[in-house]
Amino acid sequence: MSFLRRASVLTRAGVVAASTVAALASLAGVLAGASTGCTIVYKTDKEQCFNDGDCSKFGGFYCRKDLGVCEPKAGYCTTNAECIERNPDAPHICRKDQNRCVKLVIPTCNGIIGDINELKKDDTVVLGFVNNYVNPTYAPIGVAQRNAVQLALQDLMKNTPGLPPRKEGEKNRGLVWVSCDGTSGPLADTFNFLIDEVKVPAIHGPAFSGDVITISGAKTLSSKTLIISPSAGSAAISSIASRDPRLIWRTVPSDALNAKVISTVVPNTVEPELKGSGGTVKPGTAMKVAVVHKGDAFGLALRDSFFQQLRFNGLSAADNLANGNYQAVTYGEPGAPNAEAAYARAVSEVLSASKLAHLIIFVGTAELIPKVFEQIERGWSPTAEYRPKYMFATAAAKTSDLLDRVYPGRGPSYIGTPNLRARIIGTEAGTQSTLFRQFQSNYGSSFGQDAAVPGFYAAAAYDAAYLLTYAVAAVGSAPLNGENIARGLERLVPDGLAINVGDTSAFNAGFFELSQGRHINLTGATGPLDFNITTGDADTDMQVWCMPSAAASFVSSGLYYNSSTGSVTGNFNCP
């Protein structure tokens, strides 16, 4: 007998893994030593197997059904517990469709949010979490957002038996998040891992607008994976062509709303102040405005919105530009090869003697505090007739970095220029509601951090975690995939039983309503979560914040946008 051994084995997926080919080659070698005169041709045009029994003749093999090939049983599994017991160094799950263990840790994903003991249960739901909590520039907000997700998970698991069972008579389910950092490596690698390897149906994140736009086009929409961002505000996200149901959601309002609020506050509050008694704009002269923005989707969208909506000196931004009283300056994108040079160019342009603005509106994230704001304030000519008023069009500015530069006694970053504190205001979504203050209190109890740290973006992450928790519960016995979770989100808007995030006694009532096919009306720490299910956006109140004289902190100025009336109301009064 003679035996023919093929060098490679083709299957419906293309090629068999090298381990399988090697094992089959070894098997053929053993058979070849036993006899001669016959020829075995391994199948190349159809599946090798449909179940484990088809592979039993090889000994020590099982059927990997997704490829239709026989694989050695070395990595074979049927339960999560098997994988965790074999691999105590890192969390694992068992991919039941492939009967193999999957490690939940890669360079960009450093662990889980949740209890490893819950992961041992095969019905535990595994979701993805992607944020920026490693890079020191973004860590203050990223860490707070990750902690907020952990807090929401604690609310669920410490006060209920877990997520409701898929079907009556089954057990309640656990919930675990695979935690990944969006700045530790290529974002595509992270999402490919979560979607293709771990098979998560939904992802909390990413944080940045540009990342949402890029990754939705490159991966999540085609894979039908739902994403919900706690901080991506670009107006461009609303118009991304999704599908029915929508697979891109967010718990922050569109920056189009922020532009509307600022475009109302500037002519009605800021301009009268700067042109009034003791103001920096001389009588009979025009006010100059500069918009200094990040060069990503978030910054570009807000820049364009300001140009369309902003009016001052009784003129449009376009007319003010023609008169030399308006400029828009980009400082590029952090992490780009020329980032430092871009910062320097932006600062130099703003400090040009002929363009010195009375009002500088900043659009960006945490990097703009040390790289742009500080350099402009320190570089402002001491002989200039005035110093600018600053308006931060982002809650990302509300960090210890800004406090350190404005208030004395907090370290070497203190700038110390005249009246700096009183020259700074900003906008952020949300108001100081009871639910928001409750969230801050619970956060402080759990993590022992200053209540100034978990600001609006952390509350938005908390809300997003609650939304996904209820949406998963709403799926019931249907397949747990992105589209069905999106349909679950659609059932969390009016009308229905009113439930507040943070109300741990309401979980079971909410789960019951959803199990009956009804809606619930979820209100978040950030405000009402009344989504437009076509855009994935929810309008919210917005407030103007300031920096008080009494203590190093950020407080509401009393001026805010009321989403119910669609108008800016209240009186500006910074203590």
Side-chain angles (χ1 to χ4, degrees):
M1 234 186 213
S2 64
F3 287 79
L4 175 62
R5 177 164 48 92
R6 296 272 177 104
S8 63
V9 182
L10 302 181
T11 71
R12 58 181 170 178
V15 296
V16 176
S19 60
T20 303
V21 174
L24 292 172
S26 175
L27 177 64
V30 171
L31 294 172
S35 182
T36 60
C38 295
T39 298
I40 294 178
V41 181
Y42 202 78
K43 289 192 297 181
T44 64
D45 57 340
K46 296 181 180 179
E47 291 86 347
Q48 298 169 16
C49 62
F50 294 95
N51 54 56
D52 292 347
D54 294 339
C55 302
S56 61
K57 57 190 173 185
F58 298 127
F61 282 71
Y62 76 100
C63 181
R64 181 167 168 178
K65 300 180 183 65
D66 62 317
L67 297 179
V69 299
C70 295
E71 290 272 13
K73 280 189 175 180
Y76 182 85
C77 65
T78 58
T79 67
N80 290 352
E82 292 176 64
C83 298
I84 293 172
E85 183 178 350
R86 292 179 204 159
N87 304 280
D89 59 315
H92 284 67
I93 59 170
C94 178
R95 278 278 300 273
K96 311 302 190 300
D97 59 327
Q98 298 178 357
N99 293 110
R100 67 183 180 93
C101 295
V102 172
K103 186 177 181 180
L104 300 184
V105 175
I106 60 172
T108 58
C109 301
N110 62 353
I112 62 171
I113 301 172
D115 187 344
I116 189 71
N117 290 316
E118 292 297 330
L119 201 60
K120 292 178 181 178
K121 303 174 184 177
D122 292 309
D123 53 5
T124 289
V125 175
V126 179
L127 302 178
F129 172 81
V130 180
N131 207 293
N132 306 322
Y133 51 83
V134 173
N135 186 308
T137 300
Y138 310 112
I141 292 177
V143 169
Q145 290 185 313
R146 185 179 62 177
N147 288 346
V149 172
Q150 183 175 336
L151 179 61
L153 182 60
Q154 290 173 2
D155 290 348
L156 172 71
M157 300 307 296
K158 288 185 177 181
N159 295 281
T160 75
L163 289 166
R166 291 183 65 251
K167 299 177 181 178
E168 188 175 349
E170 295 183 354
K171 295 181 179 179
N172 285 72
R173 297 170 291 169
L175 175 61
V176 168
W177 305 79
V178 180
S179 180
C180 306
D181 179 71
T183 61
S184 295
L187 197 66
D189 291 352
T190 299
F191 275 79
N192 287 338
F193 169 71
L194 289 173
I195 294 170
D196 297 334
E197 184 74 352
V198 185
K199 288 290 184 182
V200 300
I203 296 172
H204 184 301
F208 290 159
S209 295
D211 290 342
V212 168
I213 293 170
T214 299
I215 207 65
S216 61
K219 186 67 179 180
T220 62
L221 289 178
S222 61
S223 64
K224 300 181 181 180
T225 305
L226 181 139
I227 58 176
I228 181 166
S229 175
S231 48
S234 172
I237 293 173
S238 303
S239 59
I240 294 176
S242 182
R243 59 177 68 238
D244 184 16
R246 185 169 179 82
L247 294 173
I248 306 171
W249 298 67
R250 53 183 167 179
T251 49
V252 291
S254 166
D255 288 326
L257 178 60
N258 197 7
K260 175 182 176 181
V261 172
I262 290 174
S263 296
T264 302
V265 171
V266 167
N268 294 327
T269 302
V270 177
E271 186 172 2
E273 172 199 339
L274 297 183
K275 288 184 174 180
S277 176
T280 57
V281 181
K282 289 183 177 181
T285 64
M287 182 174 76
K288 293 186 176 184
V289 175
V291 173
V292 181
H293 64 91
K294 190 175 181 180
D296 66 350
F298 160 56
L300 294 172
L302 256 181
R303 176 203 65 184
D304 293 344
S305 293
F306 285 139
F307 191 74
Q308 295 164 7
Q309 299 181 46
L310 192 60
R311 292 185 65 86
F312 57 98
N313 298 326
L315 301 171
S316 67
D319 289 338
N320 275 295
L321 176 64
N323 294 338
N325 297 321
Y326 178 81
Q327 62 173 326
V329 180
T330 179
Y331 66 79
E333 293 196 57
N338 62 342
E340 294 300 324
Y343 294 139
R345 282 195 302 271
V347 171
S348 177
E349 188 168 348
V350 172
L351 292 176
S352 173
S354 63
K355 298 180 179 180
L356 292 179
H358 299 91
L359 171 65
I360 297 176
I361 301 174
F362 284 123
V363 181
T365 41
E367 72 287 328
L368 71 81
I369 302 299
K371 299 294 186 179
V372 184
F373 159 74
E374 179 179 356
Q375 305 312 314
I376 289 174
E377 181 63 18
R378 290 190 185 279
W380 202 270
S381 173
T383 62
E385 295 181 351
Y386 56 86
R387 282 185 172 270
K389 189 172 188 72
Y390 297 106
M391 190 171 195
F392 289 91
T394 172
K398 295 177 62 178
T399 65
S400 58
D401 270 357
L402 185 56
L403 296 176
D404 292 346
R405 285 159 174 79
V406 173
Y407 291 95
R410 291 177 58 91
S413 298
Y414 176 60
I415 297 175
T417 47
N419 210 26
L420 178 57
R421 176 197 60 80
R423 290 188 280 117
I424 296 174
I425 60 173
T427 58
E428 69 171 337
T431 55
Q432 299 295 320
S433 67
T434 300
L435 287 181
F436 180 77
R437 291 194 295 270
Q438 178 188 336
F439 160 70
Q440 287 191 314
S441 175
N442 293 346
Y443 182 103
S445 297
S446 293
F447 302 105
Q449 298 188 25
D450 192 309
V453 174
F456 175 79
Y457 285 143
Y462 185 67
D463 289 350
Y466 260 82
L467 285 162
L468 285 174
T469 299
Y470 278 112
V472 167
V475 172
S477 60
L480 188 61
N481 56 41
E483 291 183 320
N484 283 334
I485 294 175
R487 292 187 180 96
L489 287 174
E490 293 178 354
R491 292 171 54 201
L492 308 184
V493 299
D495 290 320
L497 177 68
I499 291 180
N500 296 330
V501 303
D503 184 355
T504 56
S505 66
F507 273 120
N508 289 330
F511 292 155
F512 176 77
E513 289 296 300
L514 294 171
S515 73
Q516 300 304 301
R518 295 192 285 264
H519 283 228
I520 63 173
N521 183 10
L522 192 64
T523 298
T526 61
L529 299 172
D530 299 340
F531 287 96
N532 179 327
I533 63 174
T534 301
T535 64
D537 296 339
D539 277 352
T540 184
D541 293 349
M542 295 195 71
Q543 62 178 314
V544 177
W545 55 264
C546 62
M547 306 182 77
S549 59
S553 62
F554 305 97
V555 298
S556 175
S557 69
L559 195 64
Y560 70 97
Y561 169 82
N562 186 322
S563 59
S564 298
T565 63
S567 61
V568 176
T569 188
N571 298 303
F572 185 90
N573 180 25
C574 193

